[in-house]
Amino acid sequence: MPKEYKTPKLDELEKGPWPSFVKEIKLAAKKSEMSNDLLGQLEQSYNEKLGHWKHGGIVGVMGYGGGVIGRYSDLPDKYPSVSHFHTIRVNQPSGWFYTSDALRTICDIWEKHGSGLTNMHGSTGDMVFLGTTTDHLEPVFKDLTEAGWDLGGSGSDMRTPSCCVGPGRCEWACYDTLQRCYDITMRYQDELHRPAFPYKWKFKFAGCPNDCVASIARADISVIGTWKDDIRVDADQVKTYADEGLDIFNDVVLNCPAKCMRYDGEKKEISIDNKDCRRCMHCINVMPKALRPGVEQGATILIGAKAPIVEGALLSSVLIPFLDIDDEEEFEAFCDLIEEMQDVWCEEGKNRERVGEFIQRVGMGNFLEAVGVEPIPEMVAYPRDNPYVFYEDFYEDEDE
Amino acid sequence: MPKEYKTPKLDELEKGPWPSFVKEIKLAAKKSEMSNDLLGQLEQSYNEKLGHWKHGGIVGVMGYGGGVIGRYSDLPDKYPSVSHFHTIRVNQPSGWFYTSDALRTICDIWEKHGSGLTNMHGSTGDMVFLGTTTDHLEPVFKDLTEAGWDLGGSGSDMRTPSCCVGPGRCEWACYDTLQRCYDITMRYQDELHRPAFPYKWKFKFAGCPNDCVASIARADISVIGTWKDDIRVDADQVKTYADEGLDIFNDVVLNCPAKCMRYDGEKKEISIDNKDCRRCMHCINVMPKALRPGVEQGATILIGAKAPIVEGALLSSVLIPFLDIDDEEEFEAFCDLIEEMQDVWCEEGKNRERVGEFIQRVGMGNFLEAVGVEPIPEMVAYPRDNPYVFYEDFYEDEDE
Amino acid sequence: MADAAPQRITDIGPPDFQQFLPPVVKANYGKWKYHEIVEPGVMVHVAESGDELYTIRAGSPRLLAIDTIRFYADLADKYCDGHLRFTSRHNVEFLTTKKENVAKIRAEIEANGNPVGGMGRSITSIVHTQGWVHCHSAATDASGVVKAVMDEVIDYFKEEKLPAKCRIALACCLNMCGAVHCSDIAILGIHRKPPRIDHKNLDKICEIPNLSASCPTAAIRPATVEGMPSVEVIEEQCMYCANCFTVCPAMPIADPENDGVSIWVGGKVSNARSEPQFSKLAIPFIPNNPPRWPEVTEAIVKIIEVWAANARPYERMGEWIERVGWPRFFKLTGIPFEKEHIDDFKHAGLSFKRSAHLTHEA
Amino acid sequence: MADAAPQRITDIGPPDFQQFLPPVVKANYGKWKYHEIVEPGVMVHVAESGDELYTIRAGSPRLLAIDTIRFYADLADKYCDGHLRFTSRHNVEFLTTKKENVAKIRAEIEANGNPVGGMGRSITSIVHTQGWVHCHSAATDASGVVKAVMDEVIDYFKEEKLPAKCRIALACCLNMCGAVHCSDIAILGIHRKPPRIDHKNLDKICEIPNLSASCPTAAIRPATVEGMPSVEVIEEQCMYCANCFTVCPAMPIADPENDGVSIWVGGKVSNARSEPQFSKLAIPFIPNNPPRWPEVTEAIVKIIEVWAANARPYERMGEWIERVGWPRFFKLTGIPFEKEHIDDFKHAGLSFKRSAHLTHEA
Ligand code: SRM
Ligand code: SRM
Ligand code: SRM
Ligand code: SRM
Ligand code: SF4
Ligand code: SF4
Ligand code: SF4
Ligand code: SF4
Ligand code: SF4
Ligand code: SF4
Ligand code: SF4
Ligand code: SF4
């Protein structure tokens, strides 16, 4: 019988209409002493306003450098079952599609080897198995791989790529996010499992500029779908929206960042100057039955997003304005560029320097030169506004 | 007879429809050997693509530290009349209004003591007397002051303030630019003539947000007129503009940065949500007969503009969103604040550190604290987006 | 899938997603035409073929016991031919071609305590991190704050009654695992005291040059303390980012009285209308007050209500504030503007108001 | 004014402007109602009283011989009761209440070679600096380039045929006395070679610590050269700003082959519509080619024409580029985009395109 903890503070969080994580821990605690001790330690944290985990140590499965986060309680005597409480990151399938069978297999493995608690999913995208001991790592790994699953990334490696639902269920997907996410994951298994970079290296794939996987904010390489040709307009549907009361003028036209739409209120007709359109998606979002992205579709590749530590947060910035990433040749070229960038970053990057910080430190121009990409104005919001140019060539006159 | 220089290069610049500075130099050269030698040296510069002036030395009039820029030719043997060629900065009257008599007096003084060449005006605003010798400095100063004129600033002092034409000839002036420019100039004569600051200290007064004196780009203290209440609308004149063919919708409403205007094309009526209006002036500029600033007028005070050296160019930023600067009490309070800021900057500023750079270095919050101004959200375009907050107070718990 | 291999299997990657796609998805892959939200939390996607796919989205606590996952799986078997997915914000979605199943799924999942919603102009689940449940670095809990906030705003999850989407995120320390920096509302755990130094052990477990280099403000200097090689922290230069602690366990920084939560607003990720933006500081500090962090929930509810009452349709939090100006935001929410709001980090000067574009009250 | 004082007069300041105001200005001071541009270069201001004031604006070379000033004075006497003013951009303005004088003033001032114009949607005089005429620091001439450019664009001065105002400014070195950093088109003199060091004299005339501190990129280090205290410059770190030369004459930087002109576009000062903005780099370098700098004038004319042909009414250069995007600007003007255009100074990262807001050509 597991020890019974009084958890008046946590019990408060069982109340209220939103589903309760405390209920989940208690549910798991019925079967797992680990989860039960977690409950105890967490209640103590709630009382003391202080976490009780020690700085992680390096643990893992044989031959892999990533996928496991070591974790130890700083009150191991009091909560012995969580004295080791490592998490295992399990690489999710593209788009987080599952079958009930697949989920049950996973649950069974985790029931056998761990706390029975998970995150579905971690914020990088993995399934997170929350809490096990060092001696269970190899067994759980064995069971997982035998069932067809593998670990995700952690440490200074390629991290588990993730993607939006894309062509699986979205009319706006401009390329096959699910497939390309899978392709990159499979291609870089070694990079994903064996940290060899200066720091983490994250990929996210969004099918259109709505960016439902937050790639521009959270991935070193952000792949965002877009299109080249004209927005497809179904004039009848425009009229229907107008008739149904949509304020096309104020809600659509006035919100167009490119100021490239005109609306004829009498005729209920919309016209778009597509050469100025920024592919922001707004008008399409508001009138999905009337407007659709063009048919010449592909992706914009951006680079460098990260959280604030150390130099301040970054959003990714444009590297390739348009790539027909579904095309195998262009995809190969993209992979070549990835590898080229990895090389340059590995060679010149400092320890714990994300690629975005690296580019800022060495200068975008120098970075482009090193990876063999031509500078183009699409890469900047605006050209420099300071006159501090490092001209590389100057003429030497005779008398020097 | 002055030496005659062949100036084929400069002669090219006598051609063409725009008034020629070469003609002016030649005109002056008829009466002045200095201007003649200037012609010779300038032609040489045009041939060699190189200036021939030496780094300025410190020259001036007794008791003043500013107002004169020392200048020496590096070819004194070849162009002896410009071996000394100092400029004198003469403080212009507010708004650059002159009478013909006043101008003639000035011309006569300069004919007597210098090259006969001027800049009307220098880019800070002074009349610039272009070229004289050290021994003429005291005499020219004597003649000027006797005629009621005084020198402008140079070096690390308050620089000659300047202002737009304002109430003198502009319907949009929201305060008396001419008077306040004059007041500040007179009040700070000592600061203007005797450099005692870390670096230069410039004031510019614009009567409205059009900023016709470029104060926000060029003055450490930028005073820009604005108003508090509603834009005055003359509905009949709006109709007239519409009837005369102005595209009120596209040219006015769509350009409103606050998106706070609505236009009823049928009734030809404009409506403005004044609480959102940013006082940008655009609609008023386009329809001066129909729209006017409100009647509760005053000024926004901004601080810190400068050219790029060393840390990059700066525009001024909001210090006081609204000040009824025409009111004597509020003006006194403004002067008190100026002096407070001078003190703090003098005490903590580094040599050659403009106040804008100073504020960036010590932090706006600390600067405000030092000068006794409350921080308000009007001072920022947006609050910080990084989590690196220097909290000043933290609780100490018992066991420390 | 399972396949008893004698040797150790590695680098196989995740299963191919194809095997998990519902048949209707396979049939209409990349051929969807449009979608419609048919009721809160339920949308239909219509394919060019005319096929329809209904999605029922339900809120989930993310921290799930395996038995709950099994419950989801059972529900999928019952109504969705065994198909379901999770979203990028940790909700669970049931996918069915049968319109008549929608109400049934809703009933069963709601009965389990999972509200249906989070679509369109709503608040969806809060992206968050580990907190005291699993991380050594946390300045606050994650799941607890999230639960407390969602309890208060759940109506905005269940109904579409906001001007636009409102994305809330939480990260329990400045590492920002939730990547909260681009959220309409971000809750960020924050320390407010310099690290303590375990001089006895420091040299044994950490590399001093690396440690010094880790500090963004160069507040850490090598020093010999009681004869031992260690470091000192110039306290005035420390802004409590805890990067030193990440690099070196001998620099603990958590402190019950000084740890807490800051609130950030106006960020976004999508390119819709305006470009993606960072969230900006709204409330510098609220002390930790478990189990329900009432000051935090109150502030968030207030911010949402003010935005909802004042924004135009389709205006995200930051777009609204951008239009009416930050002074209005502070005025309407009643949040005091303080020195801490003014940036003083690297790009500080760029955040100053460098124009006369101001609103004034007559 | 003149008043023979026996003792030295100081600190009297400029004369009170009041004594220079035309009577109609005094009478209607602060009571102007509206204005109208009645013909290019001529406007009338109408006061609430109904009084009218005509202003005729004429281009001036700024660098004026006193005899030219006297000519302006005579003209003011003849038609304006002795009143005139100069503008913040160095034009001269004749002020009269008599409509019938307008044509006469125009005729006489034009006959003297001063075009009338510069109002409304036009190009007005170029704000500029000293150049080789008077400054030791110049990387190019000022007056010469200005004259050459104005000769080419004078029709835009004389007629109102642009989408909006176009402000051109020139500064002959990075000190930017013309404050060109916020101009629709800025011409900026620029060095491209590190300073030479006069080791023999340096220590005598300059303070070495001040000198080292003056360099924004920390490229200057104290060094002993041939036994003398001096400095060395790490050439790869130098971006030729010449701040060291400003501080120390023993660091000359001017160089005929490497000095020249850069072109910047899209800045503005007014708050009208958009907030004030810095100009951005369009052309990194054009060699000095006196007396007429044909490559410079050609580039500027091209930029103006492209803007004029493509901008909407009221769209300043920068507002147009902001709307259609920088790629379009480079494409239409044919200016090559190069590494130099990408910022690598302090705030570099903020100039990267951090969104998917892009135009694409099908
Ligand atoms: C589990 C997870 C949070 C969660 O609850 O979802 C997580 C947890 C941790 N993150 Fe994270 N990060 C997680 C997603 C992220 C994200 C979001 C993303 O990937 O989309 C970010 C922001 C994006 C980014 O990478 O910039 C993120 C930015 C960080 C950082 C700061 C990195 C930086 O460059 O600034 C650190 C600090 C570090 O790496 O030393 C960090 C470090 C950590 C560590 C390993 C703490 C540490 O210093 O050792 C945390 C372990 C917690 C634990 O005990 O389990 N974590 N971390 C997420 C991974 C789950 C998964 O694999 O799916
Ligand atoms: C004469 C004038 C240019 C002109 O042709 O109009 C001028 C000329 C000089 N400026 Fe200037 N500046 C002049 C207006 C400006 C302006 C514009 C303004 O005031 O509106 C600026 C930019 C605004 C600003 O102050 O930031 C300006 C920013 C500089 C700087 C850079 C200051 C900075 O903080 O970055 C320097 C360098 C220095 O001070 O060492 C400088 C230095 C100089 C020196 C004194 C060169 C030097 O290093 O000794 C020049 C003397 C030239 C000569 O031989 O006559 N000048 N200078 C302008 C003054 C005339 C007058 O009094 O009306
Ligand atoms: C005379 C002068 C003020 C002075 O005290 O000397 C002046 C006078 C007027 N300005 Fe100005 N501005 C004057 C320099 C400026 C400057 C400063 C500068 O260029 O260095 C600016 C800021 C320029 C910038 O943004 O870069 C300036 C931005 C404006 C604007 C805003 C234009 C815009 O759309 O951005 C207006 C409004 C308009 O024209 O519609 C304006 C409007 C006016 C009006 C119509 C105001 C009025 O009702 O009298 C005046 C005649 C306008 C004209 O020339 O078309 N004035 N005006 C200056 C004439 C300079 C010249 O000789 O050409
Ligand atoms: C299911 C999901 C993708 C996935 O692969 O998991 C998804 C699905 C859809 N998104 Fe999304 N978005 C999803 C996360 C996101 C995110 C990422 C995030 O929040 O971290 C964003 C960026 C948020 C931001 O900007 O901060 C996002 C920004 C959008 C937008 C742009 C909204 C805007 O105006 O800024 C749209 C367009 C719209 O809703 O009008 C959109 C539209 C849609 C549509 C309508 C697309 C479609 O036709 O199917 C889908 C249903 C929308 C809905 O929920 O109202 N989706 N969407 C994600 C559901 C998360 C959840 O459980 O709530
Ligand atoms: S990012 Fe675009 S394609 Fe992907 S789910 Fe969102 S709206 Fe659909
Ligand atoms: S996608 Fe965006 S930029 Fe393009 S027309 Fe629609 S609203 Fe305008
Ligand atoms: S700044 Fe305003 S008040 Fe002054 S002249 Fe220009 S438009 Fe008139
Ligand atoms: S002044 Fe500017 S912000 Fe105000 S209503 Fe007019 S255009 Fe809009
Ligand atoms: S945000 Fe900080 S405390 Fe929270 S999980 Fe990530 S590293 Fe740990
Ligand atoms: S908490 Fe951050 S700022 Fe403070 S010493 Fe550590 S690394 Fe430096
Ligand atoms: S810009 Fe430079 S060269 Fe030109 S006058 Fe000013 S300091 Fe001299
Ligand atoms: S020119 Fe500028 S960058 Fe080069 S050494 Fe001198 S101060 Fe430094």
Side-chain angles (χ1 to χ4, degrees), chain A residues 97-400:
Chain A
F97 277 99
Y98 295 90
T99 54
S100 44
D101 285 346
L103 284 179
R104 283 192 201 98
T105 309
I106 287 165
C107 292
D108 295 347
I109 294 173
W110 193 229
E111 175 151 13
K112 197 164 131 202
H113 294 294
S115 69
L117 282 172
T118 70
N119 288 143
M120 295 295 273
H121 294 82
S123 52
T124 306
D126 292 293
M127 282 183 270
V128 176
F129 284 3
L130 212 59
T132 191
T133 53
T134 311
D135 53 325
H136 269 286
L137 294 175
E138 274 302 325
V140 77
F141 179 67
K142 179 164 183 287
D143 285 358
L144 278 169
T145 49
E146 284 181 359
W149 300 87
D150 202 343
L151 300 194
S154 74
S156 294
D157 60 9
M158 173 176 275
R159 294 302 184 88
T160 311
S162 72
C163 64
C164 78
V165 65
R169 198 202 49 202
C170 183
E171 67 268 36
W172 298 325
C174 292
Y175 72 94
D176 194 340
T177 54
L178 300 168
Q179 187 63 47
R180 284 320 185 205
C181 179
Y182 182 63
D183 292 340
I184 289 284
T185 308
M186 296 308 284
R187 190 176 194 116
Y188 295 115
Q189 283 292 301
D190 187 34
E191 287 76 0
L192 209 152
H193 293 136
R194 292 166 200 91
F197 296 138
Y199 207 3
K200 47 193 86 167
W201 183 227
K202 295 184 176 176
F203 283 64
K204 287 189 167 49
F205 298 83
C208 83
N210 282 329
D211 198 357
C212 293
V213 71
S215 73
I216 203 168
R218 298 156 148 226
D220 299 278
I221 299 291
S222 318
V223 181
I224 300 181
T226 191
W227 66 97
K228 271 188 158 178
D229 51 344
D230 293 358
I231 289 177
R232 285 173 284 170
V233 182
D234 181 331
D236 292 337
Q237 291 291 345
V238 173
K239 288 197 180 66
T240 309
Y241 275 110
D243 293 339
E244 286 169 354
L246 180 67
D247 185 346
I248 294 185
F249 182 73
N250 281 309
D251 290 351
V252 184
V253 175
L254 260 192
N255 279 323
C256 169
K259 295 186 177 180
C260 70
M261 305 186 86
R262 291 284 179 266
Y263 179 61
D264 184 329
E266 280 171 44
K267 295 193 192 143
K268 297 179 187 158
E269 274 176 17
I270 225 162
S271 66
I272 301 175
D273 189 348
N274 280 278
K275 82 170 186 316
D276 288 348
C277 166
R278 297 184 189 175
R279 280 69 179 167
C280 86
M281 288 296 296
H282 175 71
C283 58
I284 299 172
N285 289 343
V286 177
M287 306 197 286
K289 290 187 191 171
L291 306 181
R292 303 176 71 184
V295 294
E296 203 182 329
Q297 303 184 336
T300 301
I301 314 294
L302 305 94
I303 185 163
K306 65 175 304 295
I309 304 284
V310 180
E311 296 290 332
L314 297 176
L315 294 168
S316 287
S317 74
V318 174
L319 183 65
I320 305 174
F322 191 91
L323 183 85
D324 181 1
I325 193 172
D326 281 342
D327 177 83
E328 293 311 323
E329 254 176 57
E330 297 211 8
F331 180 65
E332 285 303 320
F334 172 53
C335 294
D336 289 347
L337 178 58
I338 289 171
E339 287 155 32
E340 191 64 46
M341 294 192 298
Q342 285 171 1
D343 287 350
V344 169
W345 173 49
C346 283
E347 203 144 306
E348 313 272 342
K350 295 196 281 197
N351 181 37
R352 295 187 82 234
E353 185 176 47
R354 294 283 284 269
V355 78
E357 290 184 342
F358 171 67
I359 293 173
Q360 293 204 161
R361 178 169 62 82
V362 302
M364 164 85 90
N366 294 332
F367 173 77
L368 292 173
E369 226 162 60
V371 301
V373 172
E374 283 294 310
I376 50 172
E378 282 80 357
M379 294 168 176
V380 299
Y382 47 87
R384 69 164 63 234
D385 60 12
N386 63 73
Y388 298 155
V389 185
F390 292 89
Y391 292 99
E392 271 167 17
D393 309 303
F394 43 78
Y395 309 103
E396 293 291 342
D397 48 8
E398 303 92 313
D399 37 46
E400 303 241 335

Side-chain angles (χ1 to χ4, degrees), chain D residues 59-96:
Chain D
S60 150
R62 190 181 86 130
L63 200 174
L64 294 178
I66 46 179
D67 284 340
T68 300
I69 301 176
R70 286 171 178 141
F71 166 77
Y72 294 166
D74 292 344
L75 210 59
D77 278 342
K78 201 159 161 192
Y79 298 112
C80 306
D81 305 315
H83 289 284
L84 78 172
R85 72 179 289 269
F86 293 83
T87 71
S88 64
R89 297 189 75 91
H90 319 309
N91 289 309
V92 59
E93 289 183 338
F94 296 95
L95 310 168
T96 177

Side-chain angles (χ1 to χ4, degrees), chain B residues 227 231 252 255-258 260-261 272 276-284:
Chain B
W227 67 96
I231 290 177
V252 184
N255 279 322
C256 170
C260 70
M261 307 186 84
I272 301 174
D276 288 349
C277 165
R278 296 184 189 176
R279 280 70 179 167
C280 86
M281 288 296 295
H282 175 71
C283 57
I284 299 173

Side-chain angles (χ1 to χ4, degrees), chain C residues 24 27-29 31-33 45-52:
Chain C
V24 63
N28 297 286
Y29 196 81
K31 301 236 177 318
W32 298 102
K33 195 165 173 205
H45 281 79
V46 181
E48 276 162 12
S49 66
D51 286 355
E52 293 186 342

